[in-house]
Amino acid sequence: KNEVEQSPQNLTAQEGEFITINCSYSVGISALHWLQQHPGGGIVSLFMLSSGKKKHGRLIATINIQEKHSSLHITASHPRDSAVYICAVRRGGNQFYFGTGTSLTVIP
Amino acid sequence: DAGVIQSPRHEVTEMGQEVTLRCKPISGHNSLFWYRQTMMRGLELLIYFNNNVPIDDSGMPEDRFSAKMPNASFSTLKIQPSEPRDSAVYFCASSPFRYTDTQYFGPGTRLTVL
């Protein structure tokens, strides 16, 4: 059983579409991270959340601690958003659990 | 700022050989993480240092793996002896204060063990 489940696993969208990627987890956490992995393999940390919502440019991340759920939204998607998006949760202490990632392709 | 620097970027070795991966964190960052990524298991945290001290190495797969951080600007991950199942991309990341902070990832080292 995976402690972190992401959906969908794969997503294809037309440029300009609004995109939502979901992350559900089954353990109590102290923080949740959204990571972006580019086609070349590089990883960028997008957000770290412990409550509420954060926004950076066209990206918005929300978390509902009670429901053990987080969403990553991309507004006005662009081909350069094509990447794998990974949800990671941190429990108390130093335990990290990672989702398997959502592969996003944005078509011009 | 140069970001997190890892070397080598690619390593191909034969089973049984010793492999050493290197990481230079961002200057001033106090926390350093080693991760492994494979197709089968995704991203896994191997070990985490805070102020050069290993805090949690419970993710290290077995005794063949060891990590050190002799000073604030350098860390190594060593595999001895290496096995084909160790083939993966190994990422190093650093964060300013603690594991609660945003992490900055290096470009990764792609290791292939033949």
Side-chain angles (χ1 to χ4, degrees):
Chain A
K1 179 185 180 300
N2 293 330
E3 288 80 4
V4 180
E5 298 280 356
Q6 286 186 235
S7 63
Q9 286 191 340
N10 297 284
L11 180 57
T12 300
Q14 289 292 131
E15 183 174 356
E17 285 186 6
F18 180 84
I19 290 164
T20 296
I21 299 170
N22 295 299
C23 175
S24 296
Y25 51 92
S26 57
V27 295
I29 68 169
S30 55
L32 181 144
H33 296 253
W34 280 103
L35 308 174
Q36 179 193 53
Q37 186 163 29
H38 297 289
I43 297 176
V44 174
S45 177
L46 297 175
F47 295 104
M48 188 191 65
L49 295 164
S50 55
S51 65
K53 180 170 79 173
K54 287 189 176 180
K55 184 177 188 292
H56 185 256
R58 295 179 295 105
L59 274 59
I60 303 167
T62 63
I63 188 169
N64 185 316
I65 296 293
Q66 287 73 30
E67 296 186 1
K68 293 185 167 60
H69 182 267
S70 175
S71 293
L72 177 67
H73 305 286
I74 304 175
T75 62
S77 59
H78 190 276
R80 64 175 174 264
D81 298 325
S82 298
V84 175
Y85 293 84
I86 301 169
C87 172
V89 301
R90 184 176 64 80
R91 299 193 70 180
N94 303 300
Q95 294 176 298
F96 279 86
Y97 299 96
F98 294 88
T100 54
T102 294
S103 179
L104 171 65
T105 302
V106 181
I107 300 171
Chain B
D1 196 328
V4 176
I5 298 172
Q6 290 187 247
S7 64
R9 295 292 307 276
H10 302 272
E11 176 82 19
V12 180
T13 191
E14 293 187 344
M15 183 174 64
Q17 295 298 305
E18 178 180 294
V19 175
T20 299
L21 311 182
R22 297 172 175 81
C23 175
K24 177 177 168 55
I26 293 173
S27 176
H29 282 194
N30 293 342
S31 297
L32 184 140
F33 308 79
W34 281 102
Y35 293 92
R36 178 174 68 175
Q37 186 178 40
T38 61
M39 289 293 292
M40 290 294 292
R41 300 172 66 92
L43 262 177
E44 301 172 280
L45 176 64
L46 300 178
I47 188 170
Y48 153 60
F49 291 88
N50 194 44
N51 292 323
N52 312 337
V53 176
I55 302 300
D56 186 355
D57 64 355
S58 59
M60 297 284 263
E62 47 195 277
D63 292 345
R64 298 184 297 106
F65 286 69
S66 63
K68 294 182 179 179
M69 191 164 186
N71 57 62
S73 59
F74 184 66
S75 178
T76 60
L77 178 68
K78 185 176 294 186
I79 308 172
Q80 166 64 15
S82 58
E83 297 183 3
R85 60 192 167 118
D86 301 329
S87 297
V89 180
Y90 291 82
F91 290 98
C92 175
S94 68
S95 67
F97 296 108
R98 301 187 61 186
Y99 50 79
T100 52
D101 296 319
T102 297
Q103 297 181 22
Y104 297 81
F105 284 76
T109 295
R110 182 174 295 278
L111 173 65
T112 302
V113 183
L114 303 174

